Amino acid sequence: MNTYDGCCGSCVHMNTNKWNPYSSKDYCYCTERKQYYNLNESKCRYYEYDDYKDYYDLNHRWHVVTAILKKLELSDSYDCVKLLHDYRKNYLEKEKKYDILLFLYDIIGPVIAKCILDDEDSYELCKRIAREFLVDIIFMVRDGNSKEALFKYIEMISLLSNIYQSKIMEYMEKKKIMVKK
């Protein structure tokens, strides 16, 4: 697992969701210096460690599910996690109409995940989320009800976004991501 310690890739100013289309996903946009840099490049004077970025999950992109499973002390090697990963990769990422949704999720998902993990009282919340949302989402995906699964997931993320709204807003301001109030 590469955490990019001491490199551009672990800086709060590095937008890992905006990469150079003429290069690779390793060259991402720095909001401070206003250009693309390699994630492995040494940190500059603007460097500020990004507490909310889960670099392991950048390859999986199920930030919230991973955090809920960790909080409930469950393994992320269950078949249902692979099912969700495949759902994103084979359905959502292949449909252009979901690009903006995935982009937004990849910004707030890691923040919500960290909030869940840092919140000492979130165990009961995670049990509730698993029971009221994740079980249904997994069955919907398994049964081919992709749109219904997406709506249910959006509902779950909306609930969590409301709970952790102040942390999300603080992070987005720090990342210089424009939010309409």
Side-chain angles (χ1 to χ4, degrees):
M1 173 174 63
N2 188 354
T3 60
Y4 302 103
D5 286 339
C7 301
C8 285
S10 63
C11 180
V12 71
H13 303 295
M14 185 59 68
N15 183 348
T16 54
N17 293 316
K18 184 176 182 181
W19 58 84
N20 187 335
Y22 304 106
S23 186
S24 71
K25 290 185 179 182
D26 290 340
Y27 284 85
C28 297
Y29 190 74
C30 174
T31 58
E32 191 66 38
R33 296 188 286 171
K34 310 274 190 262
Q35 61 186 35
Y36 294 92
Y37 290 92
N38 188 303
L39 296 176
N40 289 304
E41 189 167 314
S42 295
K43 63 183 179 181
C44 73
R45 65 186 174 117
Y46 301 109
Y47 179 84
E48 191 175 344
Y49 185 76
D50 190 341
D51 288 328
Y52 291 107
K53 188 65 81 179
D54 182 343
Y55 294 94
Y56 168 78
D57 224 20
L58 278 176
N59 295 323
H60 299 84
R61 306 279 184 159
W62 281 101
H63 315 284
V64 175
V65 172
T66 301
I68 290 169
L69 293 175
K70 280 182 189 174
K71 196 65 170 194
L72 296 175
E73 298 178 358
L74 299 170
S75 169
D76 67 351
S77 64
Y78 290 114
D79 287 341
C80 61
V81 177
K82 181 177 177 353
L83 179 78
L84 292 175
H85 180 261
D86 291 346
Y87 167 67
R88 176 179 172 137
K89 186 177 176 183
N90 299 325
Y91 176 71
L92 296 175
E93 288 181 0
K94 291 191 187 276
E95 297 284 335
K96 280 291 217 198
K97 63 184 173 185
Y98 298 126
D99 284 356
I100 189 71
L101 186 69
L102 293 173
F103 176 79
L104 293 172
Y105 176 77
D106 288 340
I107 292 170
I108 67 167
V111 181
I112 293 171
K114 184 160 177 23
C115 288
I116 288 169
L117 292 173
D118 290 349
D119 184 352
E120 293 177 10
D121 300 322
S122 69
Y123 183 81
E124 289 300 318
L125 172 64
C126 288
K127 280 182 15 183
R128 177 180 161 218
I129 295 292
R131 190 173 48 249
E132 294 180 20
F133 292 95
L134 289 180
V135 171
D136 289 343
I137 293 167
I138 290 164
F139 283 116
M140 288 173 185
V141 170
R142 190 194 67 194
D143 295 341
N145 299 322
S146 298
K147 287 184 181 176
E148 291 84 357
L150 180 60
F151 293 138
K152 190 78 170 178
Y153 201 85
I154 290 170
E155 184 182 347
M156 177 184 81
I157 295 301
S158 294
L159 172 70
L160 291 168
S161 294
N162 286 333
I163 292 170
Y164 297 115
Q165 181 179 17
S166 64
K167 291 282 187 186
I168 293 168
M169 296 303 288
E170 179 183 303
Y171 180 70
M172 291 180 77
E173 285 178 22
K174 194 175 205 180
K175 291 283 281 184
K176 297 180 182 176
I177 297 171
M178 301 300 293
V179 180
K180 291 184 180 180
K181 293 183 181 183

